[in-house]
Amino acid sequence: MKTIAELQFVAETWSPEQVFQWAFHAFENRIAISSAFGAEGMVLIDIASKLRPNFRLFTLDTGFLFPETYSLMQRVEQKYGVAIERVQASLSPAEQEKIHGAALWQRDPDSCCDLRKIEPLRRKLQQLEAWITSIRRDQTEVRAAAGKIQWDSKFGLVKINPIVDWTSTQVWSYIRSHNVPYNPLHDRSYPSIGCTHCTRAVAPGEDARAGRWAGFAKTECGLHLIQPAPDLTA
Ligand code: SF4
């Protein structure tokens, strides 16, 4: 039996479909796709639907998503016949305001992401043995070291990134050639879409993630920490 570190090396030559097949076989129903329904996430959902009809899919519903994102979620459920699990924060937006003050995202976006994304994700991942994400290496510095199969030391389970070596061009080529639905905000200069409060359109020539937390040094929610794999058997 190979260790996660060995698999991480071997899996680098695998196609997204091969990564999915290995992951679905290894973890059966103890694995789920995490998606915010960006372009990359839609590719994953489409590939997964062709390999396993009742794949598990969840999203971190911060309560601050765009109407276009909520609409796309409905479309995904209809087209792919899956029920999206909406994982929510312990505090409602009103409770957060009462305890932490108004517009926490403007004053301390890390704390806001902790409350609305990290804690709910940690709670969700405790129910799983592996999760599947749509990160790509060229998106941020933190993601540059990600593997297709890796140990997630932050959350303590296996993390699967089937299209980690894809480019944005490959993602859009897949979407067009397979007629995959996508968030219409992408056509309005929103290459990366998160919460309404922390996402803006990008100007021509700006980095694809320049519209996330504009004005802050922050580039990540904190969901994707990449560290070397420990010697754990798969
Ligand atoms: S992206 Fe913004 S609004 Fe959403 S959880 Fe993070 S700081 Fe809060």
Side-chain angles (χ1 to χ4, degrees):
M1 191 176 288
K2 285 187 166 54
T3 65
I4 291 295
E6 287 165 345
L7 264 172
Q8 182 168 341
F9 179 75
V10 173
E12 277 307 304
T13 60
W14 293 355
S15 67
E17 287 81 1
Q18 287 174 304
V19 175
F20 265 113
Q21 277 163 340
W22 175 84
F24 283 153
H25 178 73
F27 297 105
E28 300 179 342
N29 206 32
R30 305 177 304 280
I31 185 168
I33 297 176
S34 168
S35 183
F37 307 99
E40 289 80 5
M42 293 309 305
V43 168
L44 280 198
I45 289 166
D46 195 76
I47 295 173
S49 73
K50 294 176 164 75
L51 299 170
R52 177 186 276 193
N54 293 318
F55 61 95
R56 295 177 67 180
L57 174 62
F58 72 90
T59 192
L60 301 174
D61 185 353
T62 60
F64 298 138
L65 304 182
F66 284 88
E68 289 85 349
T69 305
Y70 288 116
S71 254
L72 179 59
M73 286 162 64
Q74 284 184 338
R75 244 181 114 188
V76 164
E77 290 186 317
Q78 284 160 5
K79 178 176 169 73
Y80 296 104
V82 291
I84 299 167
E85 187 184 344
R86 291 149 172 85
V87 181
Q88 294 176 326
S90 302
L91 298 176
S92 69
E95 288 167 336
Q96 177 171 309
E97 179 162 340
K98 197 169 170 193
I99 295 169
H100 298 281
L104 182 60
W105 50 89
Q106 283 178 1
R107 293 174 286 112
D108 186 354
D110 283 343
S111 292
C112 187
C113 277
D114 279 349
L115 289 165
R116 310 213 73 74
K117 292 185 175 181
I118 305 293
E119 185 280 327
L121 179 64
R122 191 179 300 284
R123 203 184 332 125
K124 178 66 199 166
L125 295 184
Q126 281 169 354
Q127 304 164 7
L128 300 171
E129 291 182 12
W131 65 311
I132 303 170
T133 90
S134 58
I135 59 170
R136 292 188 295 104
R137 289 190 186 120
D138 65 6
Q139 287 171 320
T140 67
E141 266 180 48
V142 170
R143 300 179 188 192
K148 293 188 180 179
I149 296 172
Q150 65 184 91
W151 178 252
D152 185 336
S153 57
K154 179 164 184 170
F155 295 109
L157 77 172
V158 175
K159 185 173 182 182
I160 313 285
N161 308 308
I163 58 167
V164 76
D165 56 347
W166 280 28
T167 61
S168 178
T169 303
Q170 284 175 284
V171 168
W172 282 101
S173 168
Y174 184 98
I175 285 174
R176 310 257 186 242
S177 61
H178 292 80
N179 203 22
V180 176
Y182 62 89
N183 195 321
L185 289 173
H186 289 311
D187 292 333
R188 306 205 309 253
S189 301
Y190 287 81
S192 176
I193 303 165
C195 295
T196 52
H197 301 305
C198 302
T199 308
R200 64 155 172 81
V202 300
E206 270 192 317
D207 182 82
R209 288 183 71 86
R212 303 292 298 277
W213 302 285
F216 290 92
K218 183 176 172 69
T219 58
E220 294 268 358
C221 308
L223 310 183
H224 302 293
L225 178 74
I226 312 299
Q227 284 187 346
D231 188 17
L232 295 174
T233 52

Coordinates of all heavy atoms in Angstrom, one line a residue, residues 62 64 105 109 112-113 116-117 195 197-198 213, ligand 1:
T62 N -21.9 31.4 3.0 CA -21.6 32.4 4.0 C -22.8 33.3 4.3 O -22.8 34.1 5.3 CB -20.4 33.3 3.5 OG1 -20.9 34.0 2.3 CG2 -19.2 32.6 3.3
F64 N -23.5 35.5 2.2 CA -23.2 36.8 1.5 C -22.8 36.5 0.0 O -22.0 37.2 -0.6 CB -21.9 37.4 2.2 CG -22.1 37.9 3.6 CD1 -21.2 37.7 4.5 CD2 -23.3 38.5 4.0 CE1 -21.3 38.1 5.9 CE2 -23.5 38.9 5.3 CZ -22.5 38.7 6.2
W105 N -16.1 42.3 7.7 CA -15.2 42.1 6.6 C -14.5 43.3 6.2 O -13.4 43.2 5.5 CB -16.1 41.6 5.4 CG -17.3 42.5 5.1 CD1 -17.4 43.6 4.3 CD2 -18.6 42.3 5.7 NE1 -18.6 44.1 4.4 CE2 -19.4 43.4 5.2 CE3 -19.2 41.5 6.6 CZ2 -20.7 43.6 5.6 CZ3 -20.5 41.6 7.0 CH2 -21.3 42.7 6.5
P109 N -11.1 41.1 7.7 CA -11.6 40.0 6.9 C -11.2 38.6 7.3 O -11.9 37.7 7.1 CB -11.1 40.4 5.5 CG -10.0 41.4 5.7 CD -10.3 42.1 7.0
C112 N -13.6 37.5 9.8 CA -14.9 37.2 9.2 C -14.8 35.9 8.4 O -15.7 35.0 8.5 CB -15.2 38.4 8.2 SG -16.9 38.3 7.5
C113 N -13.7 35.6 7.7 CA -13.6 34.4 7.0 C -13.5 33.2 8.0 O -13.9 32.1 7.7 CB -12.3 34.4 6.1 SG -12.5 35.2 4.5
R116 N -17.1 32.6 9.0 CA -18.1 32.2 8.0 C -17.6 31.1 7.1 O -18.4 30.5 6.3 CB -18.5 33.4 7.2 CG -19.0 34.6 8.1 CD -20.1 35.4 7.5 NE -21.3 34.8 7.5 CZ -22.1 34.6 8.6 NH1 -21.7 35.0 9.8 NH2 -23.2 34.0 8.6
K117 N -16.3 30.8 7.1 CA -15.8 29.8 6.2 C -14.9 28.7 6.9 O -15.2 27.5 6.7 CB -14.9 30.5 5.1 CG -15.7 31.3 4.1 CD -14.8 31.8 3.0 CE -15.6 32.6 1.9 NZ -14.7 33.1 0.8
C195 N -17.7 36.3 -1.8 CA -18.8 37.0 -1.1 C -19.0 38.4 -1.8 O -18.0 39.0 -2.3 CB -18.5 37.2 0.3 SG -18.4 35.7 1.3
H197 N -19.5 41.2 -0.5 CA -18.7 42.3 0.2 C -17.3 42.3 -0.2 O -16.6 43.4 0.0 CB -18.8 42.1 1.8 CG -20.2 42.1 2.3 ND1 -21.1 43.1 2.1 CD2 -20.8 41.1 3.0 CE1 -22.2 42.8 2.7 NE2 -22.1 41.6 3.2
C198 N -16.7 41.2 -0.6 CA -15.3 41.2 -0.8 C -14.9 40.8 -2.3 O -13.8 40.3 -2.5 CB -14.7 40.1 0.1 SG -15.0 40.5 1.8
W213 N -10.9 40.7 -1.9 CA -10.4 41.5 -0.8 C -9.5 42.7 -1.3 O -8.5 42.9 -0.8 CB -9.6 40.6 0.1 CG -10.4 39.4 0.6 CD1 -11.3 39.5 1.6 CD2 -10.3 38.1 0.2 NE1 -11.9 38.2 1.8 CE2 -11.2 37.3 1.0 CE3 -9.5 37.4 -0.7 CZ2 -11.4 36.0 0.8 CZ3 -9.7 36.1 -0.9 CH2 -10.6 35.4 -0.2
Ligands
SF4_1 S1 -15.0 36.7 1.9 FE1 -15.5 38.6 3.0 S2 -17.7 38.5 3.6 FE2 -17.0 36.4 3.0 S3 -16.4 35.4 4.8 FE3 -14.5 36.3 4.0 S4 -14.4 38.4 4.9 FE4 -16.5 37.6 5.3

